[in-house]
Amino acid sequence: MELVGRRFMIDVVAAAPAWFHTTVRRALEDELPFLLPGVFRTRFHLYERWSQEECVTRMDRIAAKGSHGVVLMAPDVQEAVAAVDRLQAVGIPVITLASDLPVSRRLAYVGIDNRSGVTAAYLLS
């Protein structure tokens, strides 16, 4: 008997080099099947280059279509922050990856904390 749990749709939205897309996609596809009993499907929206408007439009489409969560790599600009806040407002949690939007209502950030590095460098100098 196979154990089947709740189904989740996750969106991955990123503007990054192809090698980064491949790495993130492979990591998610390798790990998500082990998060039992849940069943995770992933929609990938991966671009090497895009405008801020395209990024915001993609997030707004996800908000309209629905999702259980968004993993996002986007530039730290006001338009992206506002789009993240709109996703949160409709109950879609956002986790930023590799590039943070610290003033947004994102749920969490996964990546290097560059601000800590600046503080450490200042203290060492």
Side-chain angles (χ1 to χ4, degrees):
M1 179 176 178
E2 186 176 326
L3 181 64
V4 177
R6 186 168 173 204
R7 296 179 183 274
F8 297 95
M9 177 58 70
I10 306 297
D11 287 273
V12 179
V13 180
W19 66 266
F20 187 84
H21 294 165
T22 302
T23 302
V24 169
R25 185 179 199 133
R26 188 174 297 138
L28 284 170
E29 289 174 343
D30 287 349
E31 294 302 320
L32 289 177
F34 295 106
L35 298 178
L36 299 174
V39 177
F40 289 83
R41 290 191 54 229
T42 310
R43 292 184 293 223
F44 291 94
H45 314 274
L46 307 174
Y47 307 91
E48 287 200 48
R49 293 189 180 165
W50 64 358
S51 69
Q52 293 172 16
E53 295 80 21
E54 290 168 318
C55 175
V56 169
T57 298
R58 176 60 54 196
M59 287 190 279
D60 287 341
R61 284 184 184 154
I62 292 168
K65 196 177 213 180
S67 181
H68 289 102
V70 173
V71 176
L72 174 67
M73 183 177 176
D76 186 5
V77 295
Q78 183 55 42
E79 294 83 359
V81 169
V84 167
D85 292 348
R86 288 191 296 275
L87 284 165
Q88 285 287 123
V90 296
I92 300 173
V94 176
I95 296 174
T96 54
L97 175 67
S99 62
D100 196 12
L101 302 175
V103 299
S104 72
R105 294 179 50 211
R106 53 98 170 117
L107 180 64
Y109 165 63
V110 177
I112 297 171
D113 187 349
N114 291 320
R115 289 182 307 267
S116 292
V118 170
T119 303
Y122 171 76
L123 294 173
L124 288 172
S125 68

